[in-house]
Amino acid sequence: GAVAVWAPPSSAAMVWRLPRIGCASSVVAGCAALGSLGQALAAYDYPDGPDPCCSPSEGGPCSCRASLDGFADAGVVFVFVWLSLGVVVLGAYGHFRLKDDDVLPVQCISCPRAMKYESLELSGAAVADEIPELGEEAKKGAQGPGGEQNMSYRAYRSHLPGTLALLYVQLTSVGIFVVFLAILVDTYNDCQVGGVDKQCFYGNYPITGEFETNADIFFTVWIFGVVWFAGLFIYSDELGNWFRQPCSMREAQYIRVWQTDPDPENLTTTPTVCVVVARRLAEYFQSDSKGFSQTVKVLTEPPIKLRPEPLRYIELNCNRYLLTADSLSFPEIDTEITFGKLASAFDPITAAGPQGQASPKIAVRGLSTDEAELRMQQVGENRIAFEVDSFGKLVYDEFVSALFFYQVMFYAWWFWDAYLFTGALEFAIVLFSASVSMYIKASNQRTIKSLAQLDGEACIGRDGTYNRLPAEAIVPGDVIKVESAWTAPCDMVLVRGTAVTNEAGLTGESMPVAKAARALDWNDTTVYDPDVHSKQTLFAGTTVLQASEDAVAVCTKTNISTSKGQLVSMILNPPKMRFKYDEEFLVIFVILCVYAVFLFIASVAIQVSQGTTTYWVVRTAYGMFTVSQVLSPLLPVSLQVGQTMSARRLRKMGIFCVNPKRIAICGKVRVACFDKTGTITKEGLDLVGVQVVQDRGEQLLSPFDPREKDLPEAFLLGMVACHALTKLGDKLVGNEVEVRMFEA
């Protein structure tokens, strides 16, 4: 055996003991190698390091004196006073804050994707921070029609005690990092760096004066920091509202909204034992009510002629919700549209027609300017209110996470215990990976924003006249002239004329679609439904290839409520999926945690059993290093790098991936099903031949020649006349089968 010893001046000897191996003839070479390694370790030229600073009370000559002088030092006293102040301030604030929670109840509204929402106020005391504990009646009341997503909400306002308490929390958080940096300066001050093999291991401790005091302070700060930041991380979503005061809707400055999460799509049809265990673990740790919360600021629109008081609202998920005196509601505009109501956008002027019959001449009426202004305040501008996250929001989302908290928790030990350069290098990798992730996220958001933009102008009829206005000025109920070579800025129903549109941006179908208005009837009580009356509907984002001169439409939906808005909403909030890999990862992580705890205990026990005299904090550091090798801080980076690089390679091929985590799912695809051959071959159809059933039996006429004498005349007339084609320039537009049939 061989023993390598390094004894820093200010700490006990650190010993590496190499195991003894019997030198039988079969292992002579191995023993020689171990002996050489032992000699190399014993002869390793460690830097001597600087002499430690003397304590302030120590006499005699010293190269430097430590600034910290026991518990009576001003810095130590300040820390104790600061922490005591925090106990008093946070304790008193929490006591009075809990009383406020019992005064005002949580309210719920249903969140269907339609235009109309219902709200109800719950009775009884319900704590906003504990939405899962709402009663059964509250849960039923929050259930939307058809089982749509639901949400509950609560109003808050800022107040001085909460602001001061939050300031204390922020200053304490910054103070923990400042103290940790001071510990690192104390640990490595004036250390000797002589190259790769002579790194900076220890300094002269100018603050504490000795290694043991430095180690005790580091361990205390690390424990306090872990507990402090773990609490802040766990309650990060509710922390801001905890330091605000619950209030009525009339006084609200912020609205906290809780939305339920739909069950994820299960992609694991044959779960393994690990998957079953993972699901049981998830059910044990998850609350009964799954969802997420958002806190949004209350905004205000100025008074107008038809609304003399200011309009208060919030924007949530690109939708605008209006605040009333005691509730939150979705704007109700034209909740039930009939074709008779659509016809009322025009004035019929009766003139004498042929044979004394009435012949209506149509003049536009449209909305008044005041009505349009009121609707604009209620629903907002005709744009999808999606903005790229600010730099601060990107940083918050990236670093306020369980993985980053785990990484910082372990790298703190690396930085302190002689792993300064190695830890700094790996931590730089973590920061670089996080920066790349932030850049990719911002880039994807900019791409989505460009897809969501509705640029251009429209000829809008208001106050009886047409005016060309920006597309953002359109509101539901506006009368709009339909133009050729024009992108529809909103969902609208065609009430006059005809049009041909390209809906490839929404449906993927490249074939033009013909649209035609119904006859105007001011007494028509048929309720308009965009799914049923798709032949009269122009969808936002589609291109109008050709329109008749008299083509006019009425706007029915704007911004995020349009078909294009719903498509963008699906991109922003893709449905969640449950994949076997993600489920098994939880089980593997739990197993690694148990294994890491076992190795930590074993590491400390082995050190004690070997009779080591190292300081107890050093023994703890060895155990933490062992844990960090089992649960590497770079593990999340390695998982993220693979997904990021895959997404970048796909992007170079023209494939835009919104959620890189799903790339791994694509790797498990074995069978892909498509709804039609045109998806994987080419657009259009080719006419191979025809088969006349009458008098022809099973004979296929291929190639087809209409000049053939034996073809029945009725058959040829049917091919020429039985279609619904429209001509766009020199091109026939309509069903592809009918186009090829007519051309033949």
Side-chain angles (χ1 to χ4, degrees):
V3 177
V5 181
W6 167 46
S10 59
S11 63
M14 302 180 184
V15 181
W16 287 268
R17 185 179 302 277
L18 302 180
R20 299 178 181 273
I21 301 179
C23 293
S25 58
S26 59
V27 292
V28 170
C31 289
L34 289 175
S36 300
L37 178 61
Q39 293 174 6
L41 289 174
Y44 187 84
D45 185 19
Y46 283 97
D48 294 334
D51 294 330
C53 296
C54 303
S55 64
S57 59
E58 185 177 348
C62 265
S63 59
C64 61
R65 292 192 179 275
S67 58
L68 190 63
D69 188 18
F71 289 100
D73 187 84
V76 177
V77 173
F78 174 78
V79 171
F80 278 110
V81 171
W82 180 261
L83 295 179
S84 301
L85 177 64
V87 172
V88 174
V89 170
L90 297 181
Y93 178 78
H95 174 73
F96 291 105
R97 177 64 174 77
L98 289 175
K99 289 185 177 180
D100 291 336
D101 274 341
D102 295 334
V103 175
L104 295 173
V106 181
Q107 294 174 289
C108 295
I109 66 174
S110 59
C111 296
R113 296 187 181 273
M115 294 292 291
K116 187 175 182 179
Y117 293 72
E118 297 179 357
S119 63
L120 77 103
E121 181 175 350
L122 304 181
S123 59
V127 182
D129 297 330
E130 297 178 357
I131 297 298
E133 296 184 10
L134 291 175
E136 290 298 319
E137 291 300 319
K139 294 179 182 178
K140 294 177 182 178
Q143 194 64 245
E148 294 89 348
Q149 190 181 24
N150 313 309
M151 71 181 189
S152 57
Y153 61 91
R154 194 172 199 184
Y156 293 89
R157 66 178 180 183
S158 300
H159 65 142
L160 182 60
T163 303
L164 295 177
L166 179 60
L167 179 63
Y168 175 87
V169 171
Q170 294 171 341
L171 293 177
T172 302
S173 301
V174 174
I176 293 175
F177 283 105
V178 172
V179 172
F180 178 71
L181 292 177
I183 293 173
L184 292 185
V185 171
D186 182 60
T187 304
Y188 296 105
N189 182 69
D190 200 23
C191 66
Q192 299 175 359
V193 182
V196 178
D197 292 336
K198 294 183 179 180
Q199 296 183 9
C200 186
F201 290 104
Y202 58 92
N204 57 1
Y205 307 105
I207 299 177
T208 59
E210 59 179 359
F211 172 78
E212 287 79 3
T213 304
N214 176 280
D216 290 339
I217 295 176
F218 165 76
F219 186 80
T220 303
V221 172
W222 185 83
I223 290 293
F224 180 80
V226 168
V227 175
W228 179 267
F229 287 109
L232 295 183
F233 166 71
I234 293 173
Y235 298 102
S236 59
D237 292 339
E238 307 300 333
L239 190 64
N241 292 329
W242 174 254
F243 294 106
R244 299 186 182 110
Q245 184 180 24
C247 62
S248 64
M249 298 296 291
R250 189 184 300 275
E251 303 170 309
Q253 295 175 326
Y254 300 88
I255 302 293
R256 183 257 193 187
V257 179
W258 171 275
Q259 293 177 277
T260 59
D261 265 340
D263 292 331
E265 183 181 356
N266 188 9
L267 299 182
T268 307
T269 56
T270 56
T272 61
V273 176
C274 289
V275 172
V276 173
V277 173
R279 291 178 181 177
R280 292 180 179 177
L281 288 174
E283 291 175 358
Y284 179 79
F285 288 106
Q286 286 179 351
S287 60
D288 294 335
S289 180
K290 295 177 293 184
F292 61 97
S293 65
Q294 299 181 67
T295 300
V296 291
K297 191 174 182 178
V298 176
L299 305 174
T300 305
E301 291 278 9
I304 58 175
K305 183 177 180 180
L306 297 182
R307 183 188 290 273
E309 68 278 0
L311 178 68
R312 304 173 73 238
Y313 67 95
I314 63 171
E315 287 190 349
L316 178 69
N317 300 332
C318 302
N319 278 309
R320 178 171 289 199
Y321 295 84
L322 307 181
L323 274 72
T324 61
D326 56 356
S327 65
L328 183 69
S329 62
F330 197 86
E332 298 182 4
I333 297 179
D334 298 334
T335 56
E336 187 175 90
I337 304 174
T338 63
F339 281 93
K341 185 182 293 186
L342 293 171
S344 65
F346 303 93
D347 282 328
I349 303 175
T350 306
Q355 300 177 359
Q357 296 179 357
S359 176
K361 295 181 180 180
I362 308 301
V364 65
R365 176 188 296 167
L367 300 175
S368 67
T369 302
D370 293 335
E371 289 176 330
E373 186 179 20
L374 176 62
R375 295 192 175 200
M376 176 66 73
Q377 284 198 350
Q378 290 177 329
V379 301
E381 292 184 342
N382 180 34
R383 64 179 184 87
I384 299 175
F386 172 75
E387 301 295 336
V388 178
D389 288 342
S390 63
F391 178 76
K393 181 68 163 56
L394 291 171
V395 171
Y396 179 85
D397 292 342
E398 186 67 29
F399 293 107
V400 181
S401 64
L403 293 178
F404 186 73
F405 174 74
Y406 168 80
Q407 290 168 329
V408 172
M409 180 178 65
F410 276 100
Y411 279 130
W413 285 96
W414 288 42
F415 289 147
W416 176 77
D417 193 22
Y419 253 48
L420 180 63
F421 293 106
T422 305
L425 178 61
E426 292 199 8
F427 193 66
I429 295 175
V430 171
L431 295 180
F432 176 76
S433 174
S435 301
V436 171
S437 178
M438 290 165 53
Y439 171 78
I440 293 176
K441 181 178 180 180
S443 178
N444 290 343
Q445 289 181 346
R446 284 191 290 268
T447 303
I448 294 173
K449 182 175 176 62
S450 64
L451 293 174
Q453 287 180 342
L454 294 170
D455 297 327
E457 296 181 340
C459 197
I460 305 173
R462 291 179 184 170
D463 297 319
T465 59
Y466 283 105
N467 296 284
R468 185 163 291 277
L469 299 173
E472 289 82 359
I474 299 174
V475 296
D478 267 333
V479 179
I480 304 171
K481 272 190 176 182
V482 182
E483 305 173 37
S484 300
W486 177 64
T487 301
C490 60
D491 282 1
M492 44 191 171
V493 54
L494 195 65
V495 293
R496 287 183 63 192
T498 60
V500 178
T501 64
N502 182 358
E503 299 181 350
L506 293 179
T507 63
E509 292 286 354
S510 60
M511 293 186 297
V513 180
K515 307 286 184 177
R518 290 164 60 115
L520 282 177
D521 183 358
W522 282 260
N523 298 317
D524 191 347
T525 58
T526 304
V527 178
Y528 166 72
D529 187 337
D531 295 326
V532 176
H533 305 102
S534 59
K535 292 299 182 182
Q536 287 80 42
T537 304
L538 303 179
F539 298 101
T542 59
T543 303
V544 181
L545 302 176
Q546 178 178 286
S548 60
E549 293 183 359
D550 62 339
V552 177
V554 175
C555 173
T556 56
K557 293 181 181 179
T558 59
N559 47 58
I560 196 66
S561 300
T562 63
S563 302
K564 182 176 181 178
Q566 294 301 313
L567 181 62
V568 173
S569 179
M570 290 179 61
I571 296 176
L572 296 175
N573 304 290
K576 294 184 178 180
M577 293 185 178
R578 178 183 293 168
F579 189 50
K580 180 173 65 175
Y581 173 81
D582 298 322
E583 293 186 287
E584 291 180 345
F585 183 80
L586 176 61
V587 179
I588 300 302
F589 181 76
V590 172
I591 293 175
L592 289 177
C593 288
V594 175
Y595 181 54
V597 172
F598 169 76
L599 290 183
F600 177 86
I601 298 173
S603 173
V604 175
I606 290 174
Q607 294 179 72
V608 174
S609 65
Q610 293 293 325
T612 179
T613 58
T614 55
Y615 197 56
W616 67 273
V617 180
V618 177
R619 295 197 295 269
T620 304
Y622 290 162
M624 297 302 293
F625 278 124
T626 304
V627 173
S628 65
Q629 299 307 308
V630 177
L631 295 170
S632 173
L634 288 181
L635 178 60
V637 176
S638 62
L639 296 175
Q640 188 177 26
V641 165
Q643 298 171 353
T644 302
M645 295 305 297
S646 300
R648 290 184 62 183
R649 286 194 293 267
L650 289 174
R651 192 168 187 176
K652 291 180 180 179
M653 300 171 62
I655 302 174
F656 181 69
C657 183
V658 179
N659 190 353
K661 292 183 178 180
R662 299 195 179 187
I663 297 177
I665 300 178
C666 296
K668 301 294 291 184
V669 173
R670 295 294 178 265
V671 178
C673 301
F674 298 90
D675 60 342
K676 52 189 174 300
T677 57
T679 305
I680 56 176
T681 54
K682 67 173 185 178
E683 301 173 0
L685 298 171
D686 293 325
L687 183 64
V688 176
V690 297
Q691 180 174 327
V692 182
V693 177
Q694 184 179 0
D695 301 330
R696 290 282 181 170
E698 299 296 330
Q699 182 180 358
L700 176 66
L701 300 181
S702 179
F704 171 67
D705 186 358
R707 293 169 295 183
E708 186 175 342
K709 298 180 180 180
D710 295 338
L711 285 175
E713 183 180 1
F715 177 78
L716 293 176
L717 292 176
M719 292 187 65
V720 173
C722 296
H723 60 79
L725 301 179
T726 303
K727 199 166 187 181
L728 176 61
D730 296 332
K731 184 180 179 181
L732 293 173
V733 175
N735 184 278
E736 190 70 9
V737 175
E738 295 181 354
V739 171
R740 298 303 180 187
M741 182 178 66
F742 184 81
E743 289 177 344

